[in-house]
Amino acid sequence: MSSPLERREKRLLLALRSPGVLLVVALYLIPMSLVVAYSFLSPAPAGGVRWQWTLDSYRELLRADERASLYNGYVTLLWRSVWWSACATVVTLVLSLPLAVFIAGRRTTFAKNALLVAVVVPFWTSMLVRIYAVRFLLANNGPINGWLDLFGLERRVFLNSPGIVFVGLVYTALPFMVLPLYAAVERVDRNVLSAARDLGANAVQVFFTAFIPLVRVGLVAGCMLVFVLSVSQYLVPTLLGGGKANMIANVIENQFGEAQNWPMGSAIAVTLVALSLMGTLWSVRINSEARS
Amino acid sequence: MQGLVELRNVTKRFGSHVVVDAMDLRIEGGEFLSLLGPSGCGKSTTLRMIAGLEQPSEGRLSLDGADITDLPPHKRAVNTVFQSYALFPHLSVSDNIAYALRLRRAGRTEIAAQVRDALEMVRMGDHADYFPRQISGGQQQRVALARAIVARPRVLLLDEPLSALDLKLRQAMRLELKRIHRQLGITFVFVTHDQGEALTMSDRVAVMHEGRVLQLDRPEELYERPASRFVASFIGDANLLNAVVARAEGDCVTVKVGNGELPAKCKLSATTGTAITLSVRPQRVKLLQSSGGAATGAAAGPTGVVVEMTFLGDATSAVVRLDGSDQQVTAVRLNVEGVSAFGDLRIGDSVQLACEPTAVHVLVR
Amino acid sequence: MTTARTRRLASTWTLGSISAVALFMLYLPVAVLVVFSFNSARTGAVWESFTLDWYRSIPDDRQLMRAISNSLWIALIATPVSTVLATMLALGMEGGRFRGKRSTEQVLNLPIVAPEIITGVSLLAAMSLALRFLNDVLGRGNADAIRFGRPTILLAHIAFDTAFATLIVRASLRNLDPALAEASLDLGATRWQTFWRVILPAIRPGVLGGALMALTLSIDNFVITFFVTGPGSTTLPIEIYARLRRTISPSINAVATLIFAASIVVLVAALFAQALGSAKRKPSAEAPVQGG
């Protein structure tokens, strides 16, 4: 049906995108499908799998394990990761929203851009360096404890506790929340808020009935981003929790590493993806409702 | 004789949507032809097919007798002035214009001379070193024109080039385009939705609607003798009235409108009782003040009541609702020294319509 | 009047102070780290005196230097390769509609949305399978087997670099007036000439931004690299991580500071490239720059 010229054009575009698409298929789609397949296989003794189909890994995953194992049972650990991530998302949101509104409220482009760059710098710098910086600051022999000494206060142990892992989650996630929020707040038409005010709404009513619906898409996007980032965090629990506050990613790493149980690791990985996907789907649903 | 550009049975579909429908078009060498129609009528797509930026789903195109249907755009001796001008932002005005010449590996001195000529032609000689972002929209327009004509294409295509300009510039550019067309002597194909542009500049105008050419004619013909209701309403203002043929005598018919009758010249053989549409320009409607009793005559015009009078500056318009029908007729008169040419006509007055037979056109419904 | 003004002032102050707290929290750890990288004391608890010793000791640390050279080797190959792939991919994706565009988009989204830990273990699983197969085919035994190392890291980096750089190049392509390319073709340029003479100059800021993004991601990446690394191919983040697990030596502070500084340099370059791009696109009626 199509003319020779159109066919040539289509072939050219196909040739242009093929290498990139094939690369992503080979290094993402196929490996991830492999992990899904592995989760239904039996472990080989020294890492790897035996091609024997079984649901053992998932059964093990769901068993409420009372053995004094490293992780206190997978269900507990999964639940803890999700719960912490959800809480970290809310705290991050509470801190980020005023910041986003404040930036959007600046009159000069210079002030806006300067503040935005301030948020982008941590977003852009190595997560490892940033988490290390927190660890350095709060170390037993670190500056904070040094300052406590100066004031004659008693030194405290901050690291290797669930609390500091939680702080770390918020700390790493903050820039990821501010940027989409700012984009949403920036688009809000101030006249709409004034109109709501004019129609007799008080500040709280304006916030919940006009402002929040208007920024909902960006807000949900930011929350989803932060939740997925947090729930799959590896560096924060490892470097700040010191093995005392492990999350899902630590178990996956452990199963693929020391424990040499790849099917188990795969099953947990699949569960993690399912959890992230639930977050994504939830946000897509909320946002499509907002649009309709 | 062969046209310079010929489209034979050209159809363009986007998915299942037919944009250009089995179109035949013959563009003569050296003419200024406009494709006129509302947005979405397929005029831009037709232009893009001639340029080679879009391929027809069916049909063939030829340029100078040679089939160009499968020729890529860069091998066609056809250049385009785009609606957004599409000047290359990273190149200066002169580099933009030299673009086509450099691709042809023309000599340095030759390029310089031709660029200078093209700049002179569009009167931008002193802007050669500016960048597109540093000049105004009207100036960008001229540069886009110079860039498209510098390589002397056989056909210059212009895709609504004036639509982004303000009214005054637009009118100035009409004259400029006309002058450049005369100077170059090449064929211009001009796409527009503005009937004023099409009528003032073109040798011929093709009125398009829903992917088809409804009428292709000289501007005067289009204006005076629209072939269809759509053309009549799209070109200039026209009163379109439902009427019935009362008597047919040779090339003259008498039609019944409202409660009266009007004479009309008509080439079509219409038989008594045929329902037709009349087209009358507002300037050619006469209003006779009917003081009480209606005037009588062989063909007494329909009567009506003035429902609206509007001062338009250089003219005044009056809207008349015909008695015994819900149709309205608009009449326009030039004002004389600021005084309404309708005299002391007021809203609510009864009037009788009259027209010259040559002013009334019969459109078969 | 006055109450409205006071109220607005008060809300600005509240927003401002929460924003200040958020930004302070964001920057405090890194700022302290930078300062203490010049501290002559071995611990962070006390400030002794200013010194550059920790920086001076870096070139003598052979293990660290090897990690830096590994990181640079990988980044300097991955960045150009992925920038070219990303530009091709962007052209192929933005060039027009084609069948299967939606599913292609979804595949290309995988690297963006997949948690790093998932990508890491997937690549570990897939690459060990592929390497085993490769060694079998080539008949290589234990002694000369192809193992995880720089090639596997490079492959993984090219994949995620390409995916992220594509996002940026596509954004700049979408901002481009499609009539520019058409005008070039119309004036007699082939597709190849059109790319080099019109499209590339116009999207150069996007391509440059994509390249800098790829460079940063490559230098900073820890989690994915961690799973596909092998003996002798330790990258800088992995070396730092390994040292953190042992003990905190002040030389790490110096290295971390350098990484942070490098990120900022790259970020400034990226912002500069973007500003250059938007300045070019912005129409202005100001006094012209002759011959510029």
Side-chain angles (χ1 to χ4, degrees), chain A residues 103-127:
Chain A
I103 298 176
R106 296 308 86 209
R107 293 247 168 74
T108 60
T109 350
F110 176 79
K112 246 181 222 181
N113 285 343
L115 283 165
L116 272 180
V117 169
V119 177
V120 171
V121 166
F123 181 79
W124 185 274
T125 48
S126 159
M127 181 121 28

Side-chain angles (χ1 to χ4, degrees), chain A residues 124, chain B residues 89-90, chain C residues 83 87 165 168-173 175-176 198-213 269-281:
Chain A
W124 185 274
Chain B
H90 60 290
Chain C
T83 307
T87 308
I168 300 179
V169 181
R170 284 183 73 174
S172 64
L173 263 180
N175 278 333
L176 194 66
V198 173
I199 298 180
L200 190 60
I203 62 168
R204 188 171 288 148
V207 175
L208 203 62
L212 292 172
M213 177 106 189
L271 290 175
F272 194 70
Q274 259 181 14
L276 221 65
S278 63
K280 263 194 182 156
R281 242 173 271 122

Side-chain angles (χ1 to χ4, degrees), chain B residues 183-240:
Chain B
Q183 274 178 290
L184 286 173
I186 60 175
T187 308
F188 277 35
V189 181
F190 186 91
V191 159
T192 182
H193 63 267
D194 182 328
Q195 40 120 352
E197 281 174 11
L199 294 181
T200 51
M201 290 191 288
S202 322
D203 297 320
R204 290 196 301 158
V205 178
V207 181
M208 290 185 67
H209 183 53
E210 292 179 340
R212 293 174 169 276
V213 174
L214 296 184
Q215 192 173 358
L216 173 58
D217 228 326
R218 294 188 299 119
E220 303 85 343
E221 288 295 313
L222 276 181
Y223 190 81
E224 289 300 332
R225 273 175 282 284
S228 61
R229 197 187 170 101
F230 179 82
V231 175
S233 67
F234 196 75
I235 306 233
D237 296 318
N239 291 298
L240 295 169

Side-chain angles (χ1 to χ4, degrees), chain B residues 259-335:
Chain B
N259 62 0
E261 290 182 337
L262 290 172
K265 287 255 182 205
C266 178
K267 286 178 196 156
L268 305 155
S269 55
T271 51
T272 307
T274 316
I276 49 136
T277 300
L278 285 185
S279 152
V280 190
R281 300 287 172 195
Q283 293 83 353
R284 307 197 63 177
V285 176
K286 286 181 210 151
L287 299 181
L288 310 171
Q289 236 151 325
S290 52
S291 44
T296 50
T303 57
V305 177
V306 177
V307 292
E308 217 177 290
M309 297 276 294
T310 312
F311 177 67
L312 302 172
D314 56 348
T316 303
S317 84
V319 179
V320 175
R321 187 169 51 235
L322 298 183
D323 293 334
S325 120
D326 55 357
Q327 303 197 79
Q328 293 192 337
V329 177
T330 307
V332 172
R333 279 280 171 290
L334 283 178
N335 297 330

Side-chain angles (χ1 to χ4, degrees), chain A residues 52-125:
Chain A
Q52 225 165 39
W53 300 99
T54 169
L55 283 172
D56 278 355
S57 302
Y58 287 99
R59 270 191 216 111
E60 172 82 16
L61 187 70
L62 288 175
R63 193 161 61 207
D65 198 352
E66 75 284 358
R67 277 180 307 171
S69 78
L70 185 54
Y71 305 112
N72 249 342
Y74 295 114
V75 175
T76 321
L77 176 110
L78 285 172
W79 170 244
R80 189 169 70 195
S81 297
V82 170
W83 175 239
W84 282 358
S85 303
C87 292
T89 306
V90 172
V91 173
T92 312
L93 178 63
V94 169
L95 275 172
S96 304
L97 195 54
L99 184 54
V101 173
F102 184 74
I103 298 176
R106 296 308 86 209
R107 293 247 168 74
T108 60
T109 350
F110 176 79
K112 246 181 222 181
N113 285 343
L115 283 165
L116 272 180
V117 169
V119 177
V120 171
V121 166
F123 181 79
W124 185 274
T125 48

Side-chain angles (χ1 to χ4, degrees), chain B residues 48 79-80 84 90 99 133, chain C residues 177 182 184 186 197 284 288-289:
Chain B
R48 290 168 60 79
N79 286 154
T80 309
S84 62
H90 60 290
Y99 190 81
R133 64 176 183 282
Chain C
D177 179 2
E182 290 181 344
S184 168
D186 185 67
R197 289 169 182 241
S284 77
V289 187

Side-chain angles (χ1 to χ4, degrees), chain C:
Chain C
M1 268 302 271
T2 354
T3 47
R5 259 193 73 173
T6 8
R7 211 184 292 136
R8 199 162 50 224
L9 234 116
S11 75
T12 305
W13 269 98
T14 325
L15 283 178
S17 38
I18 299 176
S19 304
V21 168
L23 283 176
F24 181 73
M25 188 182 138
L26 218 44
Y27 277 91
L28 177 72
V30 179
V32 169
L33 180 72
V34 170
V35 170
F36 275 77
S37 71
F38 299 104
N39 180 13
S40 61
R42 287 214 132 258
T43 81
V46 282
W47 174 268
E48 270 181 14
S49 61
F50 181 88
T51 178
L52 288 173
D53 284 352
W54 309 118
Y55 290 90
R56 285 204 196 92
S57 71
I58 292 173
D60 300 329
D61 190 333
R62 289 190 48 201
Q63 214 176 332
L64 194 65
M65 288 311 281
R66 202 163 53 230
I68 292 174
S69 89
N70 274 335
S71 271
L72 287 178
W73 186 87
I74 289 159
L76 291 182
I77 296 176
T79 302
V81 171
S82 55
T83 307
V84 171
L85 285 174
T87 308
M88 287 169 60
L89 192 50
L91 289 169
M93 291 301 290
E94 296 295 329
R97 276 180 288 181
F98 56 90
R99 241 192 322 173
K101 184 163 186 175
R102 275 183 64 124
S103 42
T104 311
E105 294 276 10
Q106 271 158 5
V107 170
L108 291 182
N109 257 334
L110 271 182
I112 315 294
V113 298
E116 286 193 312
I117 181 85
I118 301 297
T119 306
V121 294
S122 307
L123 283 174
L124 171 65
M127 283 178 168
S128 11
L129 204 63
L131 285 179
R132 177 133 38 98
F133 178 75
L134 203 62
N135 286 324
D136 279 355
V137 168
L138 297 176
R140 297 205 176 190
N142 244 340
D144 56 353
I146 305 170
R147 296 169 201 279
F148 280 96
R150 290 213 293 205
T152 48
I153 301 177
L154 186 61
L155 217 56
H157 280 219
I158 290 174
F160 63 71
D161 283 351
T162 302
F164 281 92
T166 305
L167 285 185
I168 300 179
V169 181
R170 284 183 73 174
S172 64
L173 263 180
R174 271 196 294 268
N175 278 333
L176 194 66
D177 179 2
L180 283 183
E182 290 181 344
S184 168
L185 294 171
D186 185 67
L187 291 166
T190 60
R191 296 211 155 267
W192 183 249
Q193 289 170 323
T194 298
F195 174 74
W196 287 105
R197 289 169 182 241
V198 173
I199 298 180
L200 190 60
I203 62 168
R204 188 171 288 148
V207 175
L208 203 62
L212 292 172
M213 177 106 189
L215 183 71
T216 317
L217 286 175
S218 228
I219 297 262
D220 285 348
N221 185 272
F222 169 77
V223 176
I224 297 172
T225 314
F226 184 62
F227 286 95
V228 294
T229 185
S233 62
T234 305
T235 63
L236 185 57
I238 292 182
E239 178 66 26
I240 293 174
Y241 175 82
R243 291 186 185 205
L244 289 186
R245 305 216 83 177
R246 281 179 252 135
T247 166
I248 296 185
S249 142
S251 67
I252 295 272
N253 297 353
V255 176
T257 302
L258 288 180
I259 294 179
F260 181 69
S263 305
I264 289 185
V265 168
V266 176
L267 177 65
V268 167
L271 290 175
F272 194 70
Q274 259 181 14
L276 221 65
S278 63
K280 263 194 182 156
R281 242 173 271 122
K282 210 184 294 166
S284 77
E286 287 161 27
V289 187
Q290 288 290 341

